Amino acid sequence: MSVAVDVPPTRLRRIEVLHVGRRGEVAGGMTQVVNGYLSYPFDDCDLRVIVSRDGSTGPRALAIFLGAAWRLATLRGRDERVVVVHLSQGGSFVREGLLLRLAHARGFGTVAHLHGSSFPEYAAREPARVATVLRAADSVFVLSAETRAAVLGVLPTAPTELIPNAVPEGTPRAKGKSIVFGGSVSLRKGVDVLVDAWRRIADHDGWTLHVVGPVADREVVPSELPDAVFHGGLPHAELMEMLESAEIAVLPSRDEAMPMFILEALARQDCVVATRVGGVPAVLADGAGSLVDAGDAAGLAAALERLMVSDAARDELRAAGTARFQRDYSAAAVYPMVAERWRAVLRGSR
């Protein structure tokens, strides 16, 4: 007589994943990616951050960088630690690029996690530097097919992986007649186009446009704009609360990689209106959002107005966007897969 015995699944040994970059209450999608990782309860990974910059300049910036380099230079445990370095373009490839090369030289498994809306242009301008840095990565995480093509254009042997950004789901709450933009108030983010589009809508019918973010280009902020509020920079949690109660989120950028703002809006069941740039069309494909061309104020106005006047249009877009988010961009869907990729570069796994 045989007796069936339940055998518990084998747990993987815990590893430590060290993220090199920025963390905390800092504007920018790269930082929010790191913050999202830190807030998620990974089963078999412990996460820490080695802060390599905080937005400061001069002696303080140098001290922070040297502190990060010292930690990597004295780090032990190559068989149970992975180093993930977050890079964008420009100075990041010099500063964090050196830290990636240091971690690789010391024998740690390394990941280069690429961000930055202008990385393809930077790679075309600085192919030798980009190739030199990325040779130190056992895996290169990219956010879009465009970035992957740019990487392979300068380093055809680069082990690239398309890894989408992801965020935790939001907290459901009652929606009101508000439209929220979040990001740098700048020409690159298309705030001038948004202002033009808002003026083209004849009747706002109780809707309010909220523009949230630090002002980078003063000329895009109008002296007056009816039914609109420019909040300036707010803590990230306050922006998320605004998205919780908003019906519509808008991002009319001229240039993007994969903006976290769009994922954060989808996670909060907002209807998203954005432009066909970078990785945005892939996120909002199959009716998950409303797409317009960059710089097209008339098209943006029409897309916003369609949602403002029709409950049915909003319900349809919201349902498609929520389903797409839960399947492809929620933390529960993406983060376990990311953990597998981190583990794959572990020194003993390669």
Side-chain angles (χ1 to χ4, degrees), residues 138-156:
D138 296 304
S139 185
V140 180
F141 289 5
V142 299
L143 299 176
S144 68
E146 182 183 18
T147 298
R148 171 180 268 169
V151 170
L152 296 178
V154 299
L155 187 63

Side-chain angles (χ1 to χ4, degrees), residues 303-316:
L304 290 173
E305 191 167 22
R306 173 177 173 269
L307 294 171
M308 290 163 65
V309 303
S310 172
D311 293 346
R314 292 197 304 275
D315 289 344
E316 180 181 359

